[in-house]
Amino acid sequence: MSESEMGYRGSKSDILSPQPKEISVKEQRVDGSYFGFYPKLRCTLMGFERSYQVKIPSNQLNKKLFSTNTTTEAEISPWFLTGFIDAEGCFSIKIQQNVKLKTKWRVRPVFSITLHIKDLALLKSIKNNLGVGNISKSGEKAVMFAVDSIKEIPVIINHFDKYPLITQKLSDYLIFKQCFEIINQGNHLTERGLLEIIGLKSNLNLGLPVKLKEAFPAIDIKVTEVNKAEYKFKGIPNPLWVSGFTSGEGSFQVLARNRNSNELFARFSIHLHIRDLEVLKGISNFFKEKDEIKEKKVTLTEKSAQLQISKFSDINNIIIPFFNKHPILGMKSLDFIDFKKVCLILKTKDHLTSTLVYNQIIEIKSGMNLNRK
């Protein structure tokens, strides 16, 4: 599936898979976005309606089967949670055929977060802090936290009404909320209500699946244009939003300047779809201190924007102290710890003259991001 066919919000799939027809969830808590010397834009995974199998007993997690390096009972601040969901959350309306219903269609609101299984502990913390939802397997290497109960969805809505999303995902949330209000009033059980929800869904995430387009060819997709136009980036609301968003979208890397020397550098980066350029500029301005970090750190391609900070004084004096004060959560926190270890060594410059010290950095680097076990 090409970028042009995919949305840019919701959970991500691995665009580097050698078999593009098989969708696999990236180790997004482990590696952040994919960068390297040739950055590639991450795609959006929504999957099919049948992929959301939270209620199936065989997909419910047996807690004894999994272990992680992070605390399952971690307290998560509300703004951290909003930032993380701006990065990794997904708001969807599932519409499935059901001959037992008057309309012949079952409508279900679903809020979900899908992560690599290594971040099961983080999902447990999110579930415990919200007090709603279920965690289930999502393939061999992923787990999904989902809330789809009519009684529990108001908890999600109350959170985001109080601690609003600030990326383009806000548009998805507003449509999701509007659909839920129709469902909560029972109007989805009428033909008119169903058609209204389908019209709203056509502007949510990836739009309507083929099956629904064929079943409802005359749906008016103009229903939610007002909602889309309402979105405007209003700034970073709280430092903990940044740490939450970075826990989802950020990347801490150690890179070589060229292959023929021992010169290494540390880089903090965030890579987003071009539609969230203003958010990226906002993050850049948020870190700006006495004009040391400027908007010129944000670079553009045709469909993506990326913030890259690699000046060592910026890393050492601004980025590391900020995340020490407002911690990263999940497996990515281990990348940040290793990142700091490397920066302490880079500060001495001993790696330029000592093969032993250089190899020490390479060993740390080899266990970061995708290579972390």
Side-chain angles (χ1 to χ4, degrees), residues 318-356:
I318 299 174
I319 299 302
I320 289 177
F322 176 83
F323 289 114
N324 279 338
K325 185 176 181 180
H326 307 288
I328 300 292
L329 296 182
M331 292 295 290
K332 193 170 291 181
S333 65
L334 302 181
D335 285 336
F336 178 62
I337 290 171
D338 284 344
F339 184 79
K340 290 192 293 181
K341 290 178 184 177
V342 170
C343 287
L344 284 175
I345 300 173
L346 293 178
K347 191 174 183 179
T348 68
K349 298 185 178 181
D350 289 345
H351 63 290
L352 297 174
T353 56
S354 170
T355 302
L356 183 64

Side-chain angles (χ1 to χ4, degrees), residues 79-97:
W79 276 119
F80 179 99
L81 184 57
T82 292
F84 187 75
I85 291 166
D86 254 320
E88 301 297 346
C90 179
F91 300 92
S92 57
I93 301 296
K94 303 303 168 187
I95 302 177
Q96 300 164 301
Q97 282 188 308

Side-chain angles (χ1 to χ4, degrees), residues 161-203:
D161 282 352
K162 190 173 182 180
Y163 304 95
L165 298 154
I166 70 169
T167 67
Q168 289 277 352
K169 196 166 289 180
L170 175 61
S171 296
D172 283 347
Y173 168 69
L174 292 176
I175 295 171
F176 176 86
K177 181 180 177 181
Q178 193 172 345
C179 288
F180 176 73
E181 289 172 354
I182 296 170
I183 296 168
N184 199 39
Q185 292 169 5
N187 292 334
H188 65 298
L189 300 175
T190 67
E191 183 178 355
R192 181 177 178 179
L194 174 64
L195 292 176
E196 186 176 358
I197 288 175
I198 294 173
L200 289 164
K201 179 178 170 62
S202 68
N203 279 278

Side-chain angles (χ1 to χ4, degrees), residues 29-31 68-70 116-120 122 247 328-336 369 372-373:
R29 293 290 60 66
V30 181
D31 70 336
T68 69
N69 295 323
T70 52
H116 192 277
I117 200 165
K118 293 176 183 177
D119 259 322
L120 172 60
L122 181 55
S247 293
I328 300 292
L329 296 182
M331 292 295 290
K332 193 170 291 181
S333 65
L334 302 181
D335 285 336
F336 178 62
N369 301 313
R372 188 172 300 283
K373 297 179 180 179

